[in-house]
Coordinates of all heavy atoms in Angstrom, one line a residue:
G245 N 9.2 70.6 17.5 CA 10.3 69.8 16.9 C 10.8 68.7 17.8 O 10.0 67.9 18.3
G246 N 12.1 68.8 18.1 CA 12.7 67.8 18.9 C 12.3 67.8 20.4 O 12.5 66.9 21.2
L247 N 11.6 69.0 20.8 CA 11.2 69.1 22.2 C 10.2 68.0 22.6 O 10.2 67.6 23.7 CB 10.7 70.5 22.5 CG 10.2 70.8 23.9 CD1 11.4 70.7 24.8 CD2 9.6 72.2 24.0
L248 N 9.4 67.6 21.6 CA 8.4 66.6 21.9 C 9.0 65.3 22.5 O 8.5 64.7 23.4 CB 7.6 66.2 20.6 CG 6.6 67.2 20.1 CD1 6.1 66.8 18.8 CD2 5.4 67.2 21.1
E249 N 10.2 64.9 22.0 CA 10.9 63.7 22.4 C 11.3 63.9 23.9 O 11.6 62.9 24.6 CB 12.1 63.4 21.5 CG 11.7 63.1 20.1 CD 12.9 62.9 19.2 OE1 14.0 63.0 19.7 OE2 12.7 62.7 18.0
R250 N 11.5 65.1 24.4 CA 12.0 65.4 25.7 C 10.8 65.4 26.7 O 11.1 65.4 27.9 CB 12.7 66.7 25.8 CG 14.0 66.7 24.9 CD 14.6 68.0 24.8 NE 15.1 68.4 26.2 CZ 15.6 69.6 26.5 NH1 15.6 70.6 25.5 NH2 16.0 69.9 27.7
L251 N 9.6 65.5 26.3 CA 8.4 65.5 27.2 C 8.0 64.1 27.6 O 6.9 63.6 27.4 CB 7.3 66.3 26.6 CG 7.5 67.7 26.2 CD1 6.3 68.3 25.5 CD2 7.9 68.5 27.5
I252 N 9.0 63.4 28.3 CA 8.8 62.0 28.6 C 7.7 61.7 29.6 O 7.2 60.6 29.7 CB 10.1 61.4 29.0 CG1 10.7 62.1 30.2 CG2 11.1 61.4 27.9 CD1 12.0 61.6 30.7
Y253 N 7.4 62.7 30.5 CA 6.4 62.5 31.5 C 5.0 63.1 31.1 O 4.1 63.1 32.0 CB 6.9 63.1 32.8 CG 8.1 62.4 33.4 CD1 9.1 63.1 33.9 CD2 8.1 61.0 33.5 CE1 10.3 62.5 34.5 CE2 9.3 60.4 34.1 CZ 10.3 61.1 34.5 OH 11.4 60.5 35.1
L254 N 4.9 63.5 29.9 CA 3.6 64.1 29.5 C 2.5 63.1 29.6 O 1.4 63.5 30.1 CB 3.7 64.7 28.1 CG 2.4 65.4 27.6 CD1 2.0 66.6 28.5 CD2 2.5 65.8 26.1
N255 N 2.7 61.9 29.2 CA 1.7 60.9 29.3 C 1.2 60.6 30.7 O 0.0 60.4 30.9 CB 2.2 59.6 28.7 CG 1.9 59.5 27.2 OD1 1.4 60.4 26.6 ND2 2.2 58.4 26.6
I256 N 2.1 60.7 31.6 CA 1.7 60.5 33.0 C 0.9 61.7 33.5 O -0.1 61.5 34.2 CB 3.0 60.3 33.9 CG1 3.7 59.0 33.5 CG2 2.6 60.3 35.4 CD1 5.1 58.8 34.2
G257 N 1.3 62.9 33.1 CA 0.5 64.1 33.5 C -0.9 64.0 32.9 O -1.9 64.3 33.6

Side-chain angles (χ1 to χ4, degrees):
L247 182 62
L248 283 172
E249 298 176 0
R250 299 175 62 190
L251 298 177
I252 55 178
Y253 294 133
L254 180 63
N255 270 5
I256 296 175

